[in-house]
Amino acid sequence: GGLGEIPYDSVWTWACAVRWAVGHGLVMGGLSWAVRAAHLAAPTTIALLVTRRVSVVRAGLHMMGQVCGCLLAAPVLLGLLPRPPRPPQLAPRLTPAQGWGAEFLATVLVTLVSLSAYPSTRNSSPPPPNAPSHPTPLFIPNAALPVTAAHIAAALFCAEFTGVGLNPARSLAVAVVTGAWTSHWVFWVGPALGGLLAAFTHEYTAAKVPCLPPTPQQEPPIPRDLSRPSALTSTLASPC
């Protein structure tokens, strides 16, 4: 939208921001629920790679697909909208370092919640013999609501400062069709480092089932004849 054209203290500005953030969150949550084997953002792919849930080849293919998909979708969006989409850009009085911080913090939130939507490889049952060494993790459908809420919160936080990047592929595509390249590195470095921090945070703070040592196999009890009393019972019952 054209939030930059409306005064900052206008009620209409905040109404547009809330509407845009809710729409952004619903779309991301719905697509994550529908396309369970795809990663929609590069920070999520980086985090899954760091936590050893995808291989380097799969991560590279995912990021290539994200960039190519956004580059193909941006011209279509440009032709459908009555005005060019607002590119991810810094607010007038915001420095690049502050914009980087906003993108970094918002990406940490979204990626940390998104990582919980994929099954962990730790303490899991061994794969079948013919299974691939790095299977594609599938999105858990029950996590669509938390992911939607995380995207809405991140969009509300970043809409005022950076116009919500969170995804380097989307930022690149919109910059290509609009020509807005000012401080473009913010929308790559911030989300990438945010995905890395979220990966390490999830790896070392998420609840894990402890690996208990295997219990020794107990020997079966020795069968005994229940039709007559044992020697101890006979001794105790005998007269003094």
Side-chain angles (χ1 to χ4, degrees), residues 91-128:
R93 292 180 295 274
L94 203 71
T95 64
Q98 293 171 331
W100 172 86
E103 287 290 315
F104 174 78
L105 293 177
T107 307
V108 169
L109 168 65
V110 171
T111 309
L112 194 58
V113 176
S114 299
L115 279 178
S116 301
Y118 292 93
S120 176
T121 57
R122 207 180 266 188
N123 302 323
S124 57
S125 58

Side-chain angles (χ1 to χ4, degrees), residues 24 28 31-32 35 37-49 54 58-59 62-67 70 107 110-111 114-115 118 147 151 165-171 187-188 191-192 195:
H24 170 77
M28 295 299 294
L31 289 177
S32 300
V35 190
H39 316 150
L40 303 180
T44 302
T45 304
I46 293 173
L48 291 174
L49 174 64
V54 295
R58 286 180 181 269
H62 273 288
M63 286 188 279
M64 286 177 57
Q66 293 160 6
V67 172
C70 289
T107 307
V110 171
T111 309
S114 299
L115 279 178
Y118 292 93
V147 169
H151 276 279
L166 301 181
N167 188 350
R170 185 177 66 239
S171 302
F187 303 98
W188 283 81

Side-chain angles (χ1 to χ4, degrees), residues 7-32:
Y8 168 74
D9 56 351
S10 172
V11 177
W12 179 247
T13 303
W14 290 103
C16 292
V18 171
R19 182 181 63 181
W20 188 91
V22 172
H24 170 77
L26 291 176
V27 168
M28 295 299 294
L31 289 177
S32 300

